[in-house]
Amino acid sequence: MYESVSRSRTLSDWLSSLPIALVLLLVIVLESSSMLHSRLLAIGSELWPGYHELRVPAQAPACQPDLNIDHELAELLANQQADIDDELSLFDEEPADPVVLRASLERSLAECQRRHAEYASRESQVTDGLQYYATFEEGVAAIGDLGLNATRYILMTLLLVAAASANLLRDHIALRGIRTVRDLQVSSLAQMAGNALLLASALAYRSMQDASGIVPDFQQYWIQWGWIIGFTVLTLISLLQCLRRPSGLVPGGSMGHALLCIPLYSWMALISGVFFILIGHLSAMTIYLGKMLDLSGLFINVGLYVWIGMLLKQTRMASLVFDLFRPWRLPPEMLAFLAIMISALPTAYTGASGIYVIAVGAVIYQELRRAGAQRQLALATTAMSGSMGVILNPCLLIVIIAALNKEVTTRELYGWGLWLFLLSASLFLVVSMVSRRASLVVSPVANAWPETVNTLKKLVPYALVITVMVLWYRWGLNTALDEFSAPVILPAVMLAVVILDQWLRRRERPEQEGHIVKDTELAVRHATGEASTHIGALLMLMALSICLGGVFDRGGAVSMLPEDLSSVWLTMALLVVILMLIGMIMDPYGAVILVTITLTDFAFNNGIDPLHFWMVTLIAFELGYLSPPVALNHLLTRQVVGDDEVDRGAVSGSFWQRYERFALPLLVMAVTLLLTAFVPLLFYA
């Protein structure tokens, strides 16, 4: 159900939420200024015809519009005669025809008068209102230009500040939560070692630049120092975590369990750091982080999408959607299928599967359990809730693929993604129905429909606010909601929804003390604080995934692949295995960059169609995120549901009943992957 936001105002609250809120709001302001500038230009053209020219100050023509032609002609003839009579003249010059000179002067005078007339007409149109408007428009344009030049700084700040927040709260993504003293010691030491390797890499890169004699430009100079300062802070935080021991930890602990508590990004940092030290190129880690900054706009959007998800979590929208189906008393398996279908679109709009699981996973799990679903089915559905929507419009992952690979377009990927979504959803329905343990009896329409209508009425205000906000951007700023504008528009939409939600809650419970402004501020602060740690965990995982990709790149993994397998079927089989393994150990964004660098040429040269290849890649990644040993979506499910709840899974019954949370997603996505990979080959191989 709806999570209370009655957190007290503490210094730690502000420290974890305010910096990230300022950075994210700055991004929205900078991006919105570009939209506003385009709209201002269009409005200016409507108010003042020729505004694009009028907005630029003009200089008066330097020529004389009242020139006396007779006087000027006489002077020209006199000067000409003087030159001819000059004894120092080097050439014999024929005197110019006075008629020709007069005609030339008349043409020049006419042209001069025309230019002055145009200038006077132009100046008559430049009113004070136009000048004020142009000054405002130029100011908005300057803000947009600042945004274009500052994205690398913004991403680096977002990454390092959010990572520090995740470090302080010990909220990085790991295979197991910290429970014992040994867990804390091993996890903190590993984080400190990983952060220290990143710091050493930044210092090595700085030394390499100094030794080369190349003077970095202003931006590169401050980015280098930003990495050095940021990784120094992260290393010191990890050292502090080693020295401080929170209460409530169980004494002792096994080393095997403790190793599972090391954050995934730390493992990647240790592997990458050791590898690059062995090949004598420690600065390569910083070089690969620079590749992340090259795509700064896309990774900033990840932070915005996480914030969107956390804002959504602070409202009752998800619970109200489930309330639509509660009166029908659907079998748990049918409700699980509906949860998967309903989750697809918000998954696409929140950018990636993990973000949606973090935002709404707890609600999905609780609602399924309330409907009578077995714990294993509820966990499986929660983990899969964010999987199928990643191939739908306007998912950010597909935007990144299209940006890095000119062979495919977002339109093509989204088009085929819809069909693959319908395929995987159908398979989920079939498998869940075959394995169901409840009857398919539902409540009569006469009993269920009135309650559903009442819930629909509660959802109407939310729908109206969302519609108004989207239409305001569409008509006010001439910006439609699509894969490119969604990261900027949706935070504003969700902030409006949070305000509405708090207002509705205050109307429903007027007897409670409080104020809508205070409640809204608490909700936004709570959402931003949660977003801060999740952004830090996700972005650090993505950054180190790129570094780990560099290990595969520099380690010559691609060279191990044969250049020509002479069989498109064998090529596809090999790609399926490799892509699934990559999906098991890397986050989607870093994995896309790695695949672009290493596997695309191999696939295309062996006859795999680019569009087909990338659809297989997306499905293979989703299968990987649901597959051990890492199973990122299951880790995030554990994070939002709780270790104790997950560990109380079925310990008796058939194999399927005991391991359904893994078996159901794996079966559905594995069959989807096999069909996606090999059926199209029948038509073009």
Side-chain angles (χ1 to χ4, degrees):
M1 292 298 291
Y2 176 74
E3 183 176 326
S4 174
V5 294
S6 57
R7 289 179 60 176
S8 62
R9 292 176 179 269
T10 63
L11 180 60
S12 60
D13 267 351
W14 285 108
L15 290 177
S16 64
S17 61
L18 184 59
I20 295 299
L22 292 176
V23 173
L24 295 177
L25 288 174
L26 175 63
V27 173
I28 294 173
V29 169
L30 294 176
E31 292 293 331
S32 298
S33 65
S34 298
M35 302 177 188
L36 179 59
H37 181 239
S38 298
R39 189 57 177 159
L40 289 174
L41 288 175
I43 293 174
S45 298
E46 294 174 3
L47 296 176
W48 299 280
Y51 173 75
H52 286 275
E53 292 78 24
L54 296 175
R55 59 197 280 268
V56 180
Q59 292 185 349
C63 61
Q64 301 178 15
D66 54 351
L67 181 69
N68 187 321
I69 293 181
D70 292 332
H71 181 269
E72 187 68 19
L73 179 60
E75 283 192 0
L76 287 175
L77 292 174
N79 291 335
Q80 177 182 266
Q81 186 62 43
D83 290 339
I84 293 174
D85 294 340
D86 190 350
E87 295 181 352
L88 299 178
S89 177
L90 301 177
F91 303 99
D92 293 332
E93 299 181 0
E94 293 291 334
D97 188 349
V99 176
V100 175
L101 283 177
R102 176 178 288 276
S104 177
L105 288 173
E106 288 175 347
R107 286 194 301 270
S108 297
L109 178 61
E111 175 64 18
C112 179
Q113 290 174 344
R114 184 190 65 78
R115 291 167 58 192
H116 273 276
E118 288 183 354
Y119 175 75
S121 174
R122 175 193 177 100
E123 289 301 296
S124 66
Q125 299 178 59
V126 179
T127 62
D128 290 341
L130 185 147
Q131 290 179 327
Y132 293 141
Y133 186 88
T135 301
F136 175 70
E137 175 254 309
E138 290 171 0
V140 173
I143 295 175
D145 292 339
L146 175 64
L148 293 175
N149 297 323
T151 53
R152 295 167 68 88
Y153 297 121
I154 291 173
L155 175 59
M156 185 175 64
T157 303
L158 183 66
L159 169 65
L160 295 173
V161 172
S165 177
N167 273 22
L168 287 169
L169 297 176
R170 298 184 177 90
D171 206 17
H172 281 288
I173 300 172
L175 295 176
R176 186 175 182 270
I178 295 175
R179 301 177 183 177
T180 67
V181 174
R182 179 68 59 83
D183 294 343
L184 175 65
Q185 293 172 341
V186 172
S187 175
S188 299
L189 285 172
Q191 287 187 69
M192 184 176 67
N195 293 331
L197 282 172
L198 288 169
L199 172 59
S201 175
L203 292 171
Y205 183 78
R206 175 68 182 164
S207 298
M208 183 183 69
Q209 286 281 346
D210 291 340
S212 67
I214 300 175
V215 180
D217 58 25
F218 178 84
Q219 185 182 72
Q220 187 63 31
Y221 175 83
W222 285 109
I223 286 175
Q224 290 175 12
W225 279 107
W227 289 131
I228 293 172
I229 295 171
F231 292 138
T232 298
V233 172
L234 293 180
T235 304
L236 292 176
I237 291 175
S238 300
L239 175 60
L240 180 65
Q241 301 285 47
C242 292
L243 301 177
R244 294 180 59 186
R245 182 182 301 178
S247 59
L249 294 178
V250 178
S254 69
M255 180 58 69
H257 286 167
L259 292 175
L260 298 178
C261 298
I262 297 175
L264 297 181
Y265 95 88
S266 296
W267 280 114
M268 294 178 178
L270 292 170
I271 294 171
S272 303
V274 171
F275 173 82
F276 287 119
I277 287 174
L278 292 176
I279 67 172
H281 193 19
L282 182 57
S283 59
M285 296 177 73
T286 303
I287 294 173
Y288 280 101
L289 289 178
K291 295 182 181 295
M292 184 181 189
L293 296 184
D294 292 339
L295 299 170
S296 54
L298 296 175
F299 286 99
I300 288 171
N301 289 345
V302 172
L304 289 171
Y305 276 126
V306 172
W307 195 34
I308 292 165
M310 295 305 101
L311 289 171
L312 174 63
K313 186 178 179 181
Q314 293 303 314
T315 71
R316 293 172 296 176
M317 285 182 61
S319 294
L320 288 174
V321 170
F322 275 98
D323 287 345
L324 291 173
F325 306 105
R326 187 174 292 113
W328 299 88
R329 302 189 183 281
L330 297 172
E333 292 79 9
M334 182 64 71
L335 188 59
F337 170 72
L338 290 174
I340 292 293
M341 295 295 291
I342 293 170
S343 299
L345 187 60
T347 298
Y349 273 97
T350 50
S353 56
I355 297 172
Y356 185 77
V357 172
I358 291 171
V360 190
V363 175
I364 293 175
Y365 178 80
Q366 292 167 6
E367 293 296 334
L368 288 174
R369 291 289 289 155
R370 183 174 300 169
Q374 297 295 319
R375 184 175 283 105
Q376 291 290 311
L377 175 61
L379 291 171
T381 306
T382 303
M384 284 198 72
S385 63
S387 294
M388 298 182 182
V390 299
I391 49 180
L392 297 179
N393 191 355
C395 183
L396 178 63
L397 190 59
I398 287 182
V399 177
I400 294 178
I401 291 174
L404 295 176
N405 301 269
K406 303 306 179 185
E407 298 87 355
V408 293
T409 64
T410 54
R411 183 176 182 179
E412 292 173 333
L413 292 169
Y414 288 138
W416 283 103
L418 177 60
W419 290 107
L420 292 181
F421 163 72
L422 295 175
L423 171 63
S424 57
S426 301
L427 288 172
F428 181 88
L429 178 62
V430 170
V431 173
S432 59
M433 288 295 100
V434 169
S435 61
R436 74 179 188 276
R437 293 189 283 273
S439 63
L440 291 177
V441 179
V442 298
S443 295
V445 175
N447 295 339
W449 182 245
E451 293 186 42
T452 299
V453 171
N454 289 334
T455 304
L456 277 173
K457 292 178 181 178
K458 295 179 181 179
L459 282 169
V460 167
Y462 296 94
L464 287 176
V465 167
I466 293 173
T467 302
V468 168
M469 290 295 295
V470 172
L471 290 179
W472 184 85
Y473 272 93
R474 181 66 184 88
W475 294 336
L477 296 181
N478 196 29
T479 303
L481 181 63
D482 55 25
E483 64 268 29
F484 304 106
S485 62
V488 179
I489 295 177
L490 290 180
V493 172
M494 288 311 305
L495 286 171
V497 169
V498 169
I499 294 172
L500 170 68
D501 186 76
Q502 294 298 325
W503 181 73
L504 291 175
R505 293 182 69 240
R506 181 57 52 201
R507 283 191 60 189
E508 294 170 4
R509 301 176 182 178
E511 71 281 357
Q512 288 188 352
E513 296 183 3
H515 191 275
I516 182 174
V517 175
K518 179 180 178 181
D519 291 344
T520 301
E521 183 271 328
L522 283 171
V524 173
R525 177 151 51 90
H526 190 185
T528 308
E530 280 192 285
S532 176
T533 57
H534 292 312
I535 291 170
L538 285 173
L539 286 184
M540 284 299 287
L541 188 60
M542 293 173 186
L544 271 300
S545 291
I546 295 174
C547 292
L548 186 62
V551 172
F552 291 109
D553 185 22
R554 296 295 184 95
V558 182
S559 62
M560 300 179 185
L561 297 173
E563 293 184 5
D564 185 6
L565 290 178
S566 69
S567 170
V568 71
W569 296 90
L570 185 58
T571 300
M572 180 56 73
L574 182 59
L575 286 173
V576 165
V577 174
I578 295 174
L579 291 170
M580 192 175 70
L581 290 174
I582 292 174
M584 286 182 182
I585 61 175
M586 295 183 67
D587 84 282
Y589 300 96
V592 163
I593 296 175
L594 173 62
V595 169
T596 299
I597 297 172
T598 58
L599 292 179
T600 51
D601 289 341
F602 169 75
F604 302 161
N605 293 337
N606 281 276
I608 304 299
D609 179 78
L611 179 59
H612 183 203
F613 170 77
W614 281 111
M615 298 315 300
V616 171
T617 299
L618 289 169
I619 300 300
F621 283 176
E622 285 305 318
L623 176 58
Y625 307 148
L626 295 165
S627 304
V630 177
L632 182 60
N633 281 14
H634 287 290
L635 291 181
L636 297 176
T637 298
R638 175 183 290 271
Q639 189 170 342
V640 298
V641 172
D643 290 342
D644 294 338
E645 188 68 19
V646 173
D647 293 339
R648 284 202 298 267
V651 294
S652 61
S654 66
F655 177 86
W656 181 270
Q657 292 171 342
R658 285 182 286 126
Y659 299 103
E660 186 176 7
R661 72 186 179 102
F662 292 112
L664 175 59
L666 289 178
L667 178 60
V668 171
M669 297 310 299
V671 174
T672 302
L673 176 60
L674 292 175
L675 294 175
T676 303
F678 295 104
V679 170
L681 294 181
L682 296 172
F683 298 94
Y684 76 84

